Amino acid sequence: MLIQRFKGKIHRATVTEANLNYVGSITIDGQLLDAAGIIEGEKVQIVNNNNGERIETYTIRGEEGSGVICLNGAAARRCQVGDTVIIIAYGYMTEEEARAFEPKVAFPDQDNKL
């Protein structure tokens, strides 16, 4: 049996943009994606610490070192610029794999720099 387990996250990033007129997704600084072990196009859960919203979308790789955290499309209605978010990715693993797996966690500063 496979279980879904937390595999990586970006903990307490600051939303820099909200673009309602985009098809959808979240654009994330490529350095933050790499640090958290999240790849472009991967499904993520976004938890907004300011209002309690939880949404799911997929990632777009942003420019490395830019600090960008941009909610696109409908997700832009759930976060405002300046909000603090946690971006979480999950993976499917056997119980044995899950017990041995070490997730990656990125802790950006207030400017979304590592």
Side-chain angles (χ1 to χ4, degrees), residues 18-34:
N19 184 353
L20 185 60
N21 297 314
Y22 190 82
V23 177
S25 69
I26 182 171
T27 304
I28 302 172
D29 178 324
Q31 289 179 344
L32 293 175
L33 286 177
D34 292 344

Side-chain angles (χ1 to χ4, degrees), residues 25-92:
S25 69
I26 182 171
T27 304
I28 302 172
D29 178 324
Q31 289 179 344
L32 293 175
L33 286 177
D34 292 344
I38 300 171
I39 64 170
E40 184 167 26
E42 186 169 357
K43 179 181 175 179
V44 292
Q45 180 181 52
I46 303 160
V47 180
N48 186 324
N49 286 359
N50 293 76
N51 64 19
E53 290 279 353
R54 289 176 174 259
I55 58 174
E56 293 181 342
T57 190
Y58 64 92
T59 61
I60 293 177
R61 187 177 190 89
E63 182 181 342
E64 279 75 6
S66 66
V68 67
I69 301 289
C70 179
L71 279 294
N72 299 305
R77 295 252 190 234
R78 302 293 182 222
C79 295
Q80 296 182 4
V81 172
D83 283 357
T84 300
V85 294
I86 300 169
I87 302 161
I88 310 162
Y90 301 89
Y92 289 98

Side-chain angles (χ1 to χ4, degrees), residues 76-112:
R77 295 252 190 234
R78 302 293 182 222
C79 295
Q80 296 182 4
V81 172
D83 283 357
T84 300
V85 294
I86 300 169
I87 302 161
I88 310 162
Y90 301 89
Y92 289 98
M93 303 171 200
T94 65
E95 184 176 340
E96 183 179 336
E97 289 171 323
R99 290 184 186 279
F101 184 79
E102 291 293 328
K104 292 183 176 182
V105 181
F107 294 97
D109 64 16
Q110 63 195 25
D111 297 317
N112 295 331

